[in-house]
């Protein structure tokens, strides 16, 4: 149980384009989903917390207009990187949790984004 | 603030034991331990919710000292499959999010 999927697993795009990443909880309803960014050999940096049906709460320094998060259902959250630039290249990982985040977070397999 | 993990890296031979520590400057409600292998997402190991609680999972166990705001992960008789980077994620009362430590890279050699 507690399986989270992400799609796509890899994406290469040109600078200036937008990229959408999907995060799905496959066998449970996730009231809360989290989006992280991880650079090589570094820790997981939280970008935003997304509660189903509510606007996402962004961490300090994360541009909400650049990283659009939608959590329209209990099994799906999306992260859209708008007007991507090479510095946005990273490993993006989502996690999903029951009980509005106060319990275990289960991570998706991650999406590698390369912006050329 | 980010919890501090120690050591930053450790190299063991198969069968040896390891302890990874996680220390926070904030009062903690929970500590979550994850293992991440290269190029993959973190995998949940265990969650500790009470002060002084110790939990076990096969040969991997952990303790949580709420008063000291510390947690330790114990790996006994390590196996090659234990290699990876271990992260502790700390939760505070009333907060949905976790704050992760910088990670401890564990290498197990045959």
């Amino acid at each position: 149980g507690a399986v989270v999927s992400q799609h796509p697993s890899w994406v290469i795009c040109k600078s200036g384009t937008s990229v959408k990443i999907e995060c799905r909880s496959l066998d449970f309803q996730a009231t809360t989903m989290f989006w992280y960014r991880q650079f090589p050999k570094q820790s997981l940096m939280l970008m935003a917390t997304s509660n189903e049906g509510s606007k996402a709460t962004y961490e300090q320094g994360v541009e909400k207009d650049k990283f659009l998060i939608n959590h329209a259902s209990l099994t799906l959250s999306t992260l859209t990187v708008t007007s991507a630039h090479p510095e946005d290249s990273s490993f993006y990982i989502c996690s999903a949790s029951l009980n509005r985040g106060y319990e275990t977070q289960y991570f998706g397999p991650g999406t590698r984004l390369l912006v050329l | 603030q980010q919890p501090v993990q120690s050591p930053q890296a450790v190299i063991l031979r198969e069968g040896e034991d390891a302890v990874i520590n996680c220390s926070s400057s904030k009062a903690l409600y929970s500590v979550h331990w994850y293992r991440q292998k290269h190029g993959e997402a973190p995998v949940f190991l265990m969650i500790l919710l009470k002060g002084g609680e110790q939990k076990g999972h096969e040969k991997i166990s952990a303790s949580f000292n709420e008063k000291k705001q510390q947690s330790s992960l114990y790996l006994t008789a390590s196996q090659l499959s234990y290699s990876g980077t271990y992260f502790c994620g700390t939760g505070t009362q009333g907060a949905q999010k976790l704050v992760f430590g910088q990670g401890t890279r564990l290498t197990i050699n045959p």
Side-chain angles (χ1 to χ4, degrees):
Chain A
V3 179
V4 178
S5 70
Q6 265 184 256
H7 178 80
S9 54
W10 263 102
V11 59
I12 302 173
C13 68
K14 291 183 179 180
S15 186
T17 60
S18 294
V19 175
K20 180 185 280 190
I21 303 170
E22 290 187 349
C23 177
R24 293 181 184 271
S25 57
L26 299 184
D27 54 0
F28 68 103
Q29 292 187 324
T31 53
T32 305
M33 288 185 172
F34 302 86
W35 286 94
Y36 294 86
R37 185 173 180 176
Q38 186 178 37
F39 291 107
K41 297 186 178 181
Q42 293 191 20
S43 186
L44 299 153
M45 299 306 297
L46 179 66
M47 299 175 67
T49 301
S50 172
N51 290 305
E52 185 265 338
S54 303
K55 287 186 178 180
T57 301
Y58 290 81
E59 294 298 300
Q60 193 172 8
V62 177
E63 299 175 57
K64 60 179 69 177
D65 293 332
K66 181 168 184 62
F67 298 100
L68 301 178
I69 292 172
N70 183 276
H71 191 169
S73 77
L74 286 171
T75 59
L76 174 65
S77 177
T78 59
L79 167 68
T80 301
V81 183
T82 61
S83 186
H85 288 95
E87 57 266 27
D88 298 325
S89 299
S90 189
F91 189 44
Y92 292 87
I93 316 174
C94 73
S95 70
S97 176
L98 295 165
N99 197 22
R100 306 197 75 79
Y102 296 112
E103 294 182 358
T104 301
Q105 292 184 28
Y106 296 97
F107 284 86
T111 297
R112 292 204 178 278
L113 170 63
L114 177 61
V115 185
L116 302 176
Chain B
Q1 276 188 329
Q2 188 179 37
V4 177
Q5 288 184 233
S6 62
Q8 290 188 336
V10 59
I11 300 174
L12 299 176
R13 286 194 174 179
E14 198 173 5
E16 293 183 333
D17 301 340
V19 179
I20 300 172
N21 300 302
C22 175
S23 181
S24 175
S25 60
K26 290 190 170 185
L28 300 177
Y29 175 76
S30 65
V31 180
H32 307 231
W33 285 97
Y34 291 82
R35 176 173 60 216
Q36 184 179 31
K37 293 189 179 284
H38 181 68
E40 301 177 8
V43 172
F44 171 72
L45 295 177
M46 65 188 74
I47 178 175
L48 301 107
L49 290 174
K50 296 178 183 178
E53 182 175 3
Q54 187 152 359
K55 299 188 79 172
H57 177 72
E58 295 181 346
K59 294 180 182 177
I60 301 174
S61 62
S63 63
F64 178 22
N65 188 321
E66 187 178 334
K67 288 183 181 179
K68 291 187 176 180
Q69 297 160 189
Q70 293 176 346
S71 177
S72 294
L73 184 71
Y74 307 95
L75 301 103
T76 58
S78 58
Q79 305 169 12
L80 295 176
S81 62
Y82 288 2
S83 291
T85 300
Y86 289 78
F87 291 98
C88 68
T90 55
T92 54
Q93 186 78 34
Q96 287 184 295
K97 65 182 182 183
L98 297 177
V99 180
F100 286 88
Q102 80 277 21
T104 295
R105 178 171 289 189
L106 176 64
T107 303
I108 309 293
N109 292 320

